[in-house]
Every structure is written in structure tokens, then in C-alpha cells.
Amino acid sequence: MNLDFTTHIFLNNKGGIGKTLSASMFIQYFIAAGFLIEGVDSDQQAPKLSRIKALNVPLIPLFENGEIQQSSFDPVFTHILQSKNATLIDVGSSAFLPILKYMQDNRLYDLLNQVNKQLFYHIIVTSGAEKYETMQGAEQILDRIKGTKVKAIVWQNEKDGIPTFGGQQLQETDWYIENQDHISGIVKILDYNNTAFRADFLALMTEELTYQEIMDGKSKHFDFMRQNRINRIFRDVFADLDAIFNARI
């Protein structure tokens, strides 16, 4: 697979589950692998990705007078279809169903196939109070891509523990097994069961810094031990992405 000819859409039906965090880590993975990736932040309500200045991701508003304007997607996808680089969109939870409808109404799956671009939906599943809602969003996405060449990558955010369903981990569930043809793999944001890791992760996002900026000492708040914890978090995520893409040089 030529990773320059891939498009990645991060979405789910629930906010506050680590979608932007996952998108930012994915962009940084591509950068570490030596690839160009063009990102777009379309989450007007929580434009966190565009605030990480080093990632150079513009905010593209999709709302007008409080309503989603589907025509606002047109220039974004026109660029995606014409770009020679990998592309990414961070979609807010309020645009979850509208963008899925837009993709189908405009036959984007076929158009992407025609220009030899592989589309990946990145779906976040978590535990805690949001577990079943995020799983419902994952099910809706997989239902819509049956019969297409679209692939899904499931991000398992373990901030509230490892999500289990009827005593089974995600990859053991009937739903996962039945959809394996469309699922490229699972990326785990691990729960290290340690308050220091959680505090460092929160500080990383609050300061709107990249992994590389932390490791380069751009923040006075991250000493050697805190840098080491951030390094471990990203190393584990990158290893899962390596298993899917084998991209790093």
C-alpha cells in the first residue's frame, strides 16, 4: 500500500472520548515515518487539533447559523481527491451522521477508488459511561461500509479501563469477528493504571504540544521522567500502528 494514497477520517458519535488525541497521534506517526499528511480540523465546537500549532492543521468550519452545511464538505473532499499526499479529517461528534450521509450521497467511496485512494475510518471505543455509545457508533460505521473497500481502524482508549462486552474483550466479540474483513486492526491507548501517566497525558494536550516538542525539551514542565512516560505512551501506540501499516523508516 502506498501510504501517500490514503485518506483517514476520525469520527464517532460521542465527544470527549479521545478522538482528537488519536488523530494527533496518528499525524505524528506519519511524520515520524517520513510521510507528508495533510490534516483538517472540522470540529468547530472543540477545535483541539488545529490548536496544536506544530501539526499545521487548519480549522475548516462546517456550520452556518448553527446548522451543518453539507456543501461545506465539497472543497475538503475535492482537495482530498486531487492531493498526492495522505490526508486526514478530524470530525466532530455533531457531524458524525451528516458526514456519513455526505459520503454515501456523493458516492465518495467510488470516487476514492477511482483515484486509487484507500479510505480508513478511525473509530474510537472506550470504557466507562461512554462504552456502549461509542460501540454503537462503531457498529453504525461498519454497517455503512459493508460491500465497499473502506477499512476501519479501531482505537481502544483505555482511560477508564479496558472495554469489555459480556466479559469479552473487543477483538473477541462476535461483532469484531464478523467485521474482520473491514477492520485493519486495533490501536490501544493503554491504561497504565498510574495517575502520573494520566497527568502527563493531560498536560500534553493542555499545552497543545507534540510528542517531538516534549522530547526536544520545548516545555519546562516535562522533566526527564515525564518525558520518559510520554515516550512510552507514543512508542506503544506507534508499535500498534506499525503492525497495521509497517510505515516507519
Side-chain angles (χ1 to χ4, degrees):
M1 181 192 304
N2 184 345
L3 295 182
D4 288 327
F5 284 85
T6 59
T7 294
H8 305 268
I9 301 179
F10 283 72
L11 75 170
N12 211 320
N13 58 340
K14 178 68 178 175
I17 58 173
K19 177 178 52 61
T20 297
L21 168 64
S22 302
S24 71
M25 297 180 89
F26 187 78
I27 291 174
Q28 292 174 73
Y29 172 77
F30 258 55
I31 292 171
F35 287 89
L36 290 174
I37 182 166
E38 300 173 319
V40 169
D41 186 351
S42 67
D43 190 348
Q44 279 177 270
Q45 294 175 318
K48 298 176 184 177
L49 190 62
S50 60
R51 291 173 181 163
I52 305 175
K53 299 302 181 184
L55 297 183
N56 194 30
V57 175
L59 175 64
I60 306 295
L62 299 178
F63 289 82
E64 184 177 322
N65 298 323
E67 295 183 359
I68 293 174
Q69 302 299 306
Q70 291 207 15
S71 60
S72 300
F73 291 118
D74 287 350
V76 173
F77 279 96
T78 297
H79 179 74
I80 285 173
L81 290 164
Q82 296 174 346
S83 177
K84 296 181 180 179
N85 300 318
T87 49
L88 176 148
I89 306 176
D90 181 11
V91 179
S93 57
S94 59
F96 172 69
L97 290 177
I99 198 168
L100 288 175
K101 185 176 187 302
Y102 177 88
M103 298 292 288
Q104 290 184 316
D105 288 351
N106 291 279
R107 300 183 63 189
L108 259 299
Y109 302 144
D110 292 336
L111 291 174
L112 287 164
N113 287 338
Q114 289 172 21
V115 294
N116 297 314
K117 293 207 170 185
Q118 176 63 56
L119 173 62
F120 290 89
Y121 280 131
H122 293 250
I123 310 163
I124 292 76
V125 174
T126 188
S127 190
E130 301 99 347
K131 178 173 70 172
Y132 289 104
E133 193 169 354
T134 58
M135 190 62 179
Q136 182 184 52
E139 290 170 349
Q140 289 184 61
I141 293 170
L142 266 296
D143 285 345
R144 287 173 180 259
I145 64 175
K146 287 179 179 177
T148 74
K149 295 182 179 180
V150 180
K151 298 292 186 181
I153 294 172
V154 180
W155 290 69
Q156 181 170 290
N157 187 352
E158 299 180 3
K159 66 184 180 69
D160 294 314
I162 299 172
T164 58
F165 302 87
Q168 295 179 314
Q169 293 196 29
L170 185 60
Q171 64 270 26
E172 301 169 332
T173 62
D174 291 341
W175 172 83
Y176 187 91
I177 294 169
E178 290 168 1
N179 287 286
Q180 274 187 317
D181 288 346
H182 279 291
I183 299 176
S184 294
I186 296 178
V187 180
K188 296 179 180 179
I189 303 177
L190 296 172
D191 175 18
Y192 298 95
N193 196 25
N194 187 304
T195 55
F197 277 93
R198 293 170 189 155
D200 292 341
F201 227 150
L202 179 61
L204 171 75
M205 294 303 292
T206 301
E207 292 196 30
E208 299 168 353
L209 297 173
T210 65
Y211 161 66
Q212 195 58 54
E213 286 176 312
I214 294 296
M215 301 312 295
D216 289 344
K218 296 293 180 65
S219 171
K220 62 182 180 181
H221 298 116
F222 285 83
D223 58 20
F224 175 80
M225 291 306 299
R226 298 190 77 183
Q227 286 179 329
N228 186 60
R229 287 192 289 269
I230 291 296
N231 182 54
R232 180 178 170 187
I233 291 167
F234 275 80
R235 184 184 63 207
D236 289 342
V237 167
F238 283 9
D240 284 345
L241 288 168
D242 269 342
I244 297 171
F245 294 106
N246 193 26
R248 280 187 294 176
I249 298 171

